[in-house]
Amino acid sequence: MSSATADTPRLDFAGSPINKALTAEQKIELFRKMQRIRRFEQEALKYYNAGKIGGFLHLYIGQESVAVGTLSLCGENDHNITAYRCHGHAIMSGMEMNPLMAELFGKATGCSKGKGGSMHFFAPDKGFWGGHGIVGGQTPLGLGLAYGLKYLGKEGAALCYLGDGAVNQGAFHESLNIAALFELPVVYVIENNGYSMGTSQKRSSSYRGCLAQRAEGYDMEWDVVDGSDIYEVRAKTHIALERARKQHKPAILEINTYRYYGHSVADANAKKYRTPEEIENYKTNFDPIRLWRKRLVEEGVATEEQLDAIDKEAKAEAAASVKFAEASPAPTIESVMDDVYWETDNNTPASKLGQHFFTD
């Protein structure tokens, strides 16, 4: 859980250069993006509970400012990759709700043709490389994206997201070592919602001050961010991204955030390792959408009525995506092997021999 409390004084990052440059329209757009993510997730939860969506469902409700704040800074040569709590990153990367909801419903019109589900949203054409179900498995892939950018001589960076539960995976530490040794433009973002799958950070990880401080062991830069404040998320992420793009210096950002639901909707212990009071405290004092809405009104950027209208639009868009998903066809039996092996998709000699299945 976030180390912040309701009594902790907040630094104001509105005056940082990257935030001072925001227009009123851009600030409202940040609200729109966060609201769209939340409404999409709420619809997904509704239909998962109704039995229309199978498998796992890892909701992003409560963490919206992390994806929106960080990815709002990305340019054409920047890429991002994450773990299985990927819906927010997908929407923020520019993916439409219709194919995303259809993917949750297991339909052929889904972004992964109904074969990936909640954990495997992809849009490489938008710089979004998934959606990965193996804990920490995306961290060396994010490293590879950064290596590719440097190899091709492009001024860009890779944002690689992981949860606090993935920081003890060996693949992550191997990635940090190579990122520092090769000076690769990657920013690892720890979305620290405090509980991994269901065990508190203090019980699962050994650390001195914070998880990001482990970067010092690899001679890397690091910072800790209040994930409830989108101004702070943008300000600190901008510094890390610019360092990566221009100096090829990797970094770790630990963004303290909170999820309202369990590790997944199927988490039977979601209400056992957190008290109702703790969850309600976050919703009341640290909800990123509520705080940003309040800030927009205080700054005179938008009225309550304008923001209500945006929320209504987001809700309608999410509801329409459900209708699209329900009306879409299921994948066919004949397509079961499509998009699995490159050899079969391209009818190579290896496909005829079956050598892509067996090595002997």
Side-chain angles (χ1 to χ4, degrees):
M1 137 178 186
S2 171
S3 59
T5 68
D7 300 322
T8 302
R10 296 176 180 273
L11 295 176
D12 193 348
F13 288 86
S16 66
I18 196 64
N19 290 324
K20 284 183 71 174
L22 285 170
T23 65
E25 291 75 17
Q26 288 170 329
K27 291 181 180 182
I28 292 172
E29 187 62 21
L30 293 175
F31 176 82
R32 187 189 311 277
K33 296 289 189 184
M34 286 197 287
Q35 201 67 57
R36 288 179 68 230
I37 292 170
R38 180 159 298 185
R39 288 305 187 185
F40 178 88
E41 296 291 65
Q42 288 173 336
E43 284 294 287
L45 174 62
K46 176 181 176 180
Y47 285 90
Y48 184 93
N49 287 335
K52 296 292 185 72
I53 296 173
F56 290 99
L57 185 68
H58 302 87
L59 297 175
Y60 205 63
I61 298 174
Q63 300 185 206
E64 294 90 350
S65 58
V66 180
V68 173
T70 55
L71 292 173
S72 66
L73 301 164
C74 288
E76 62 175 340
N77 289 326
D78 297 320
H79 298 262
N80 75 96
I81 189 169
T82 188
Y84 34 77
R85 202 178 306 278
C86 62
H87 308 165
H89 308 80
I91 291 174
M92 190 57 200
S93 294
M95 298 183 75
E96 297 297 327
M97 285 191 192
N98 281 0
L100 298 183
M101 190 64 77
E103 187 60 36
L104 294 183
F105 275 66
K107 297 300 183 71
T109 54
C111 60
S112 296
K113 300 184 181 178
K115 299 177 181 179
S118 172
M119 297 187 280
H120 300 107
F121 289 176
F122 290 91
D125 61 311
K126 303 181 187 305
F128 177 56
W129 296 86
H132 294 266
I134 296 178
V135 176
Q138 76 282 6
T139 56
L141 301 179
L143 180 76
L145 293 172
Y147 182 90
L149 287 167
K150 185 174 182 179
Y151 182 81
L152 295 172
K154 294 184 177 182
E155 189 176 295
L159 279 166
C160 182
Y161 300 84
L162 62 149
D164 51 291
V167 298
N168 300 318
Q169 293 291 327
F172 176 51
H173 290 268
E174 292 174 9
S175 299
L176 298 181
N177 188 53
I178 295 175
L181 277 175
F182 287 17
E183 295 188 325
L184 299 179
V186 57
V187 177
Y188 285 102
V189 179
I190 303 171
E191 298 195 59
N192 189 349
N193 56 36
Y195 289 98
S196 303
M197 285 185 67
T199 303
S200 71
Q201 179 182 311
K202 291 184 178 180
R203 291 180 57 208
S204 62
S205 297
S206 178
Y207 57 96
R208 182 178 298 163
C210 63
L211 298 176
Q213 194 173 10
R214 294 181 178 186
E216 293 180 4
Y218 300 96
D219 194 24
M220 289 171 59
E221 299 289 338
W222 62 276
D223 206 344
V224 177
V225 185
D226 177 2
S228 67
D229 181 358
I230 201 166
Y231 274 146
E232 182 171 343
V233 173
R234 282 176 46 86
K236 292 186 174 181
T237 303
H238 174 67
I239 293 170
L241 282 175
E242 281 294 276
R243 185 193 302 120
R245 292 173 184 137
K246 300 184 183 304
Q247 302 176 37
H248 291 160
K249 296 291 186 182
I252 297 178
L253 295 179
E254 180 179 350
I255 304 183
N256 288 317
T257 183
Y258 200 81
R259 62 173 188 245
Y260 290 175
Y261 295 90
H263 172 68
S264 74
V265 180
D267 183 356
N269 296 313
K271 296 182 180 179
K272 294 183 179 179
Y273 53 82
R274 302 181 299 177
T275 65
E277 292 77 17
E278 177 182 303
I279 299 172
E280 190 56 39
N281 175 57
Y282 189 87
K283 290 181 178 180
T284 301
N285 296 304
F286 302 105
D287 181 89
I289 298 180
R290 178 181 291 186
L291 291 177
W292 187 238
R293 180 186 181 111
K294 182 173 181 287
R295 189 70 184 249
L296 292 180
V297 173
E298 290 175 348
E299 291 183 4
V301 170
T303 64
E304 294 282 3
E305 291 74 21
Q306 286 176 299
L307 299 177
D308 284 342
I310 290 171
D311 180 27
K312 187 177 180 180
E313 290 172 4
K315 191 173 183 179
E317 183 185 5
S321 73
V322 171
K323 291 183 178 179
F324 173 82
E326 290 188 310
S328 294
T332 63
I333 295 296
E334 291 75 21
S335 69
V336 69
M337 291 300 296
D338 293 348
D339 306 305
V340 177
Y341 294 103
W342 188 89
E343 288 83 356
T344 55
D345 288 342
N346 292 275
N347 196 30
T348 67
S351 174
K352 297 180 177 62
L353 296 171
Q355 290 178 351
H356 55 299
F357 297 104
F358 306 103
T359 58
D360 56 355

